[in-house]
Amino acid sequence: MKDVIPLTEGWTLWHGRDRLPARVPGCVHTDLLAAGVIPDPYLGTNETDVAWVGRRDWTYETQIAPYDGPHERTDLVFDGLDTAAALRLGGEPLGAVRNMHRGYRFDVTGHSGPLAVAFTSAYAEAEAVRARTGDRPNAYPHPFPFIRKMACSFGWDWGPTLVTAGIWRPARLERWSTARLARVRPLVTVDADGTGRVEVRLDAERTAAGAHRPLTVRARVGGAEATAVLDGADATVELALDRPELWWPRGYGGQPLYALEVTLHDGATAEGPLLDSWTRRVGFRTVHLDTGADAHGSRFTLVVNGEPLFARGVNWIPDDALPARLTPARYRERLRQAADAGVDLVRVWGGGIYESEDFYDACDELGLMVWQDFPFACAAYPEDQPLRGEVEAEARDNVVRLMPHPSLVLWCGNNENLWGFRDWDWEDALAGDSWGEGYYLGVLPRVVAELDPTRPYWPGSPWSGSWAHHPNDPAHGNHHDWEVWNRADYTDYHAAVPRFVAEFGWQAPPAWATLRLALGDGPQLAATSPAMLHHQKADDGNGKLERGLARHFAVPDGTADFARWHYLMQVNQARAIAAGIEHWRSHWPVCAGTVVWQLNDCWPVTSWSAIDGDGRLKPLYHELRRLYADRLLTVREGGGPAGGLAVAVVNQGAGPWSGTLVLRRTAVDGGVVAEARVPFTAGARAVAEVPVPAGLVPSAASAKELLVAEADGLRALHFPVRDKDFAYPRPEFGVAVVRAGAAEPDRVDVVVTAHTFVRDLLLQPDRLDPAATADQGLLTLLPGERATIAVRGWPAPAAPAPGPPGASGAPGASGASEASGASGDDDPAVAAVRAALFCVEPA
């Protein structure tokens, strides 16, 4: 049997004449941080101070001991080297590598001594390639298209420029005899009658002594077993299961996984000595991308097990700018957060990486469909050698590596490059040079068709299906909507119904505690401080934030009143994403999915994320839980037979939703002007439209009325005018802090009782304690309503001794002073909560 020896210990990193301890997997930045050579690049403006690291060459070294055991062959295996390196063992060259996205194997039989992995600066490597191929158009002033490396290492409009180098994935020695399993490809399908099939295609590598020996391969899954004899280097084993349980996306069914074991044996039967084994979990399901023509254009609808889906998606970027630091626990935490928000699809964006097995394993278990971009983004990519060969090699490596995962439902050729060719003035600049089209429409679909024909491939995001339509045509294929963020108001999302929205987003700063750690206290906590602007990478990012806010609110002074500036920016982000998702979900099945840009961050930054770089939840995250729930109510204009207001009853559940829709035309003081109860039925996975009777529609210019629509505990609101024109009252509400006690010592309930209309009340739990979390985001309360916010991770100050009846702090306590944090209470916990509470105030 093959022996595997991890190479995790004993590595050093040369820094000048110093040998520093090194971790493998790891990278230069993490090793320099651990040694105290560089400051944390995520804090302040330290990123600029460590820029020199990416311009240097670096060498890692360890020792390979002599081997005198029984195995015929020893291989040195690297799952990932970042990026351009020359390798030497015992003073002799092993080879050179130039691709972060693939693995490498070297025959080192009989060799020992010092192993050196000498990395060339990625800048130097990329610039040398650019000098040979000629320059290409690029959305960013860095040479990432000329090297097969994580593009966002060179910086992005949400990411730092930290150009890494190192042994970023596991390394090991593999010692084996006779033969080994070189490649295993399970093609998992389901017949129309429910029979599950696994066709295992495999390639074996043999030693010289094993060249002509008979070999037997055995495959097992779910009680089925089959064998085949290898006369040469490859074989196919077919397995069939009688009606296995199907794998479904979350919300549609379960996620049963079956262990598939493949073993290689010496001899003509499976009873011979075991040489090698391979085990993965697979799931039985079918997946199809429906791109057929219809009255609205052409569809872009994922169909799993015959069920067309509205995809509730998020875009995923590398969760750390130093991806060697990512752990299984961190992947699982972030993906669990996605699932808990109602997400069922995660798009792995093309400027990052093919993620580790831990990522896809978690998606398999959580029922999160994975849309996997090949790593090309926002640039023209030369197709000259050696880049062309590297692209095909990495595609083959990763298609084979990831194809066992049932969560993987779509391969996509690139991010925005087909669009860029048409719209970003590339054609003249290229003057006939290659730019990547041959990859997206040639190499990559060929590789997928050959190796993984069970899954659909799509050339790019966005892409309309052919050059006959504009690449970002909303009526055809998938669409990116960035006009709204860049130039318009978020209400403009309502102007169109794309077939599938694969990117759209709105920025907001990270959580308060995240900013305090990254920037420090004092003058840096301001919208335009040097440190704050350093953590805003988007072009004119703050300008777009403030122009977008000014359409709805008076913009606070970002220095004198940074706390309110920060709060309103987070409110506006949640409102913007809600405007898009509510509108597009209400138009299912014409629109078949939304993929929010973006779920996560890779460092503490103002960005489009729902979860900030320190893992704290923005209000947008909590809003996604509402927006992506199976049931949703939304009020839209232009509905019903008369084209007036209508309530869209969105039901993504497996059964019909019937009930009574309560419609109230409500005054801001809580009085009901008019009310109606309308029965409705929304079929399974369907949308019903309920027109709003004319007498319930608030006057178009009314500043004191709104429409409230409710059904089964859900609510939708419609305001005739924007916030800055609405007559919000001075907010008054009571606050109480209820300690859960011994049963849940980590929980404190914050109970808020509204005495006036209170819009978008937000408790920022990290203002209570950096580790604190809350189970609610933005809350809107009508007069007399009460809400409970569960807070965990906050060691609330002890309550004072009981006072006389009617003491303040009970749910009946009220006043605007509570909203602003001024306190007359003798309970320090209530005072702390008041200081962490924000809501919309009168203009």
Side-chain angles (χ1 to χ4, degrees), residues 193-360:
D193 65 0
T195 301
R197 299 192 182 277
V198 183
E199 183 179 302
V200 182
R201 299 181 183 179
L202 61 91
D203 299 307
E205 182 182 11
R206 298 171 181 259
T207 64
H212 303 292
R213 295 181 64 83
L215 302 174
T216 301
V217 62
R218 175 165 59 191
R220 296 170 171 167
V221 66
E225 179 177 319
T227 61
V229 175
L230 282 75
D231 292 326
D234 59 79
T236 299
V237 182
E238 297 185 3
L239 299 149
L241 274 71
D242 183 25
R243 303 187 69 83
E245 294 183 77
L246 297 182
W247 185 95
W248 287 93
R250 62 169 303 280
Y252 289 82
Q255 292 79 44
L257 299 170
Y258 291 77
L260 171 63
E261 181 187 53
V262 179
T263 54
L264 182 66
H265 301 264
D266 190 6
T269 73
E271 306 308 316
L274 179 63
L275 298 174
D276 200 358
S277 65
W278 178 98
T279 302
R280 298 288 189 278
R281 295 181 303 174
V282 298
F284 291 90
R285 55 103 184 95
T286 63
V287 60
H288 167 63
L289 181 64
D290 179 2
T291 58
D294 61 17
H296 304 279
S298 52
R299 293 182 289 273
F300 191 93
T301 305
L302 283 165
V303 182
V304 177
N305 297 328
E307 180 85 52
L309 312 177
F310 182 96
R312 294 170 277 189
V314 288
N315 281 276
W316 172 275
I317 66 170
D319 204 50
D320 198 316
L322 307 177
R325 297 200 291 201
L326 295 173
T327 63
R330 183 159 162 185
Y331 275 124
R332 191 163 295 274
E333 176 191 14
R334 200 67 72 242
L335 292 167
R336 166 54 69 185
Q337 289 171 319
D340 288 346
V343 169
D344 60 21
L345 181 141
V346 179
R347 176 188 174 221
V348 181
W349 166 76
I353 57 177
Y354 307 93
E355 298 289 344
S356 79
E357 293 296 319
D358 304 310
F359 175 92
Y360 303 95

Side-chain angles (χ1 to χ4, degrees), residues 699-705 718-727:
S699 301
S702 173
K704 295 185 178 182
E705 290 183 354
H718 171 75
F719 293 79
V721 297
R722 299 190 177 192
D723 292 80
K724 62 184 179 181
D725 299 319
F726 195 72

Side-chain angles (χ1 to χ4, degrees), residues 291-300 464 469 473-477 497 499 590:
T291 58
D294 61 17
H296 304 279
S298 52
R299 293 182 289 273
F300 191 93
S464 59
H469 304 288
D473 187 337
H476 300 274
V497 183
R499 309 313 306 268
V590 177

Side-chain angles (χ1 to χ4, degrees), residues 472-599:
N472 200 29
D473 187 337
H476 300 274
N478 64 319
H479 177 71
H480 289 191
D481 191 329
W482 286 112
E483 284 299 301
V484 165
W485 160 251
N486 285 315
R487 297 176 181 86
D489 183 56
Y490 60 70
T491 57
D492 285 15
Y493 285 137
H494 298 163
V497 183
R499 309 313 306 268
F500 191 107
V501 189
E503 280 190 21
F504 70 107
W506 198 273
Q507 275 198 348
W512 188 259
T514 299
L515 282 175
R516 288 189 63 193
L517 177 61
L519 311 184
D521 287 321
Q524 293 301 329
L525 278 178
T528 57
S529 74
M532 185 73 179
L533 292 176
H534 189 83
H535 289 78
Q536 164 60 280
K537 296 295 187 179
D539 182 39
D540 190 28
N542 274 19
K544 292 172 184 176
L545 280 174
E546 296 199 350
R547 289 191 295 274
L549 187 65
R551 297 181 180 107
H552 298 270
F553 295 96
V555 179
D557 186 315
T559 298
D561 197 359
F562 179 64
R564 179 147 292 273
W565 184 95
H566 173 266
Y567 157 75
L568 285 176
M569 291 303 176
Q570 293 202 329
V571 168
N572 221 37
Q573 180 190 39
R575 296 263 198 98
I577 299 306
I581 294 178
E582 289 187 16
H583 172 66
W584 294 321
R585 278 195 72 182
S586 75
H587 286 279
W588 161 259
V590 177
C591 181
T594 55
V595 189
V596 177
W597 187 271
Q598 63 216 59
L599 174 70

Side-chain angles (χ1 to χ4, degrees), residues 693-770:
L696 292 171
V697 176
S699 301
S702 173
K704 295 185 178 182
E705 290 183 354
L706 66 150
L707 174 67
V708 180
E710 295 175 313
D712 294 337
L714 301 182
R715 173 181 284 175
L717 304 176
H718 171 75
F719 293 79
V721 297
R722 299 190 177 192
D723 292 80
K724 62 184 179 181
D725 299 319
F726 195 72
Y728 287 111
R730 185 167 174 260
E732 297 182 4
F733 52 86
V735 176
V737 174
V738 181
R739 295 159 178 84
E744 289 188 84
D746 192 41
R747 172 173 169 167
V748 173
D749 285 344
V750 173
V751 182
V752 179
T753 303
H755 304 312
T756 64
F757 184 71
V758 179
R759 183 87 191 273
D760 284 336
L761 181 76
L762 177 66
L763 174 64
Q764 295 185 354
D766 52 300
R767 285 177 173 268
L768 302 172
D769 188 282

Side-chain angles (χ1 to χ4, degrees), residues 58-72:
W58 300 93
T59 298
Y60 283 82
E61 285 189 357
T62 192
Q63 287 287 329
I64 303 297
Y67 175 71
D68 59 0
H71 281 302
E72 302 168 51

Side-chain angles (χ1 to χ4, degrees), residues 342-696:
V343 169
D344 60 21
L345 181 141
V346 179
R347 176 188 174 221
V348 181
W349 166 76
I353 57 177
Y354 307 93
E355 298 289 344
S356 79
E357 293 296 319
D358 304 310
F359 175 92
Y360 303 95
D361 284 343
C363 290
D364 290 343
E365 296 166 15
L366 293 168
L368 295 173
M369 296 180 288
V370 176
W371 163 333
Q372 178 69 54
D373 279 6
F374 287 95
F376 300 89
C378 300
Y381 284 75
E383 299 173 37
D384 311 63
Q385 296 293 2
L387 282 173
R388 189 178 183 88
E390 287 293 341
V391 166
E392 179 155 354
E394 88 179 39
R396 290 180 173 278
D397 268 17
N398 287 284
V399 168
V400 171
R401 178 171 72 91
L402 300 182
M403 61 186 291
H405 293 281
S407 57
L408 179 56
V409 298
L410 182 67
W411 293 105
C412 180
N414 75 88
N415 175 76
E416 298 190 344
N417 295 344
L418 295 162
W419 181 19
F421 179 76
R422 178 57 52 87
D423 267 7
W424 299 350
D425 299 323
W426 288 8
E427 293 186 64
D428 291 341
L430 286 166
D433 288 340
S434 64
W435 55 274
E437 183 183 26
Y439 297 146
Y440 320 134
L441 301 179
V443 173
L444 298 175
R446 172 171 56 79
V447 169
V448 171
E450 174 193 337
L451 298 177
D452 187 19
T454 67
R455 285 182 182 86
Y457 170 86
W458 189 249
S461 189
W463 178 237
S464 59
S466 79
W467 286 115
H469 304 288
H470 187 282
N472 200 29
D473 187 337
H476 300 274
N478 64 319
H479 177 71
H480 289 191
D481 191 329
W482 286 112
E483 284 299 301
V484 165
W485 160 251
N486 285 315
R487 297 176 181 86
D489 183 56
Y490 60 70
T491 57
D492 285 15
Y493 285 137
H494 298 163
V497 183
R499 309 313 306 268
F500 191 107
V501 189
E503 280 190 21
F504 70 107
W506 198 273
Q507 275 198 348
W512 188 259
T514 299
L515 282 175
R516 288 189 63 193
L517 177 61
L519 311 184
D521 287 321
Q524 293 301 329
L525 278 178
T528 57
S529 74
M532 185 73 179
L533 292 176
H534 189 83
H535 289 78
Q536 164 60 280
K537 296 295 187 179
D539 182 39
D540 190 28
N542 274 19
K544 292 172 184 176
L545 280 174
E546 296 199 350
R547 289 191 295 274
L549 187 65
R551 297 181 180 107
H552 298 270
F553 295 96
V555 179
D557 186 315
T559 298
D561 197 359
F562 179 64
R564 179 147 292 273
W565 184 95
H566 173 266
Y567 157 75
L568 285 176
M569 291 303 176
Q570 293 202 329
V571 168
N572 221 37
Q573 180 190 39
R575 296 263 198 98
I577 299 306
I581 294 178
E582 289 187 16
H583 172 66
W584 294 321
R585 278 195 72 182
S586 75
H587 286 279
W588 161 259
V590 177
C591 181
T594 55
V595 189
V596 177
W597 187 271
Q598 63 216 59
L599 174 70
N600 59 326
D601 268 324
C602 63
W603 76 314
V605 65
T606 296
S607 84
W608 299 264
S609 71
I611 304 172
D612 77 17
D614 284 358
R616 294 187 175 92
L617 308 179
K618 295 183 185 178
L620 171 59
Y621 174 86
H622 295 284
E623 189 70 352
L624 285 178
R625 292 169 54 198
R626 180 184 70 85
L627 297 167
Y628 277 164
D630 280 352
R631 294 177 173 182
L632 175 71
L633 299 178
T634 182
V635 181
R636 68 186 189 196
E637 298 179 359
L645 286 187
V647 177
V649 181
V650 181
N651 177 28
Q652 208 160 349
W657 178 18
S658 296
T660 300
L661 186 65
V662 179
L663 300 171
R664 284 180 288 155
R665 181 178 172 184
T666 304
V668 72
D669 63 5
V672 176
V673 179
E675 181 175 337
R677 296 175 177 269
V678 183
F680 69 87
T681 296
R685 324 286 191 201
V687 178
E689 185 177 82
V690 179
V692 177
L696 292 171

